[in-house]
Amino acid sequence: AIGWDQAVADACIELKIPFDVYVPMRGQEKPWPHDAQVAYQLQLLEARRIVIVTDTEVYNSTLMELRNRAMIKDSDAILALYNGASYGGTANAVHYAKEQNIPVYNVYRLWAGLE
């Protein structure tokens, strides 16, 4: 996804930390701005592993939830930029991780300059 996912992938590349990319559907980047698509393609080249969660090419919000759950199931811990909202994809992912007893490290307060 544009934003947090790409920022973390860039940090991993810079710090030489292996990372995996979980893609909710083929062609997810097609509606993105050109610069974001180019950055995404470069990140895919650097990824240790690419997991395509579904074989569809038609977007729906359920695919993002499936992607989040697949990432969480394969994780030992989660790094989140979560503002505490009670709804939305990040909220769902954080709650699901906690249900699965996966540690969540939320850096929102630090990022927002609140700590």
Side-chain angles (χ1 to χ4, degrees):
I2 296 176
W4 179 245
D5 292 359
Q6 286 193 322
V8 171
D10 285 343
C12 288
I13 292 167
E14 184 174 327
L15 296 170
K16 299 187 182 351
I17 298 170
F19 66 98
D20 301 335
V21 175
Y22 284 73
V23 180
M25 61 184 218
R26 296 186 184 282
Q28 77 158 347
E29 75 282 6
K30 287 180 183 176
W32 298 357
H34 178 72
D35 290 350
Q37 290 184 39
V38 170
Y40 175 71
Q41 293 301 323
L42 292 173
Q43 290 166 345
L44 291 179
L45 292 173
E46 296 287 337
R48 172 180 62 183
R49 180 171 70 129
I50 300 168
V51 177
I52 300 174
V53 178
T54 67
D55 203 34
T56 186
E57 292 186 24
V58 179
Y59 174 83
N60 71 63
S61 60
T62 302
L63 300 178
M64 301 307 286
E65 182 73 18
L66 292 173
R67 187 235 16 200
N68 287 348
R69 287 177 178 242
M71 283 191 303
I72 291 163
K73 286 178 182 176
D74 288 349
S75 298
D76 297 321
I78 303 299
L79 180 65
L81 186 63
Y82 174 50
N83 67 2
S86 59
Y87 59 89
T90 303
N92 291 344
V94 167
H95 295 305
Y96 181 73
K98 289 179 178 180
E99 288 172 5
Q100 302 303 308
N101 295 314
I102 304 293
V104 175
Y105 299 95
N106 184 10
V107 296
Y108 179 80
R109 292 183 56 79
L110 181 64
W111 174 81
L114 302 172
E115 288 186 0

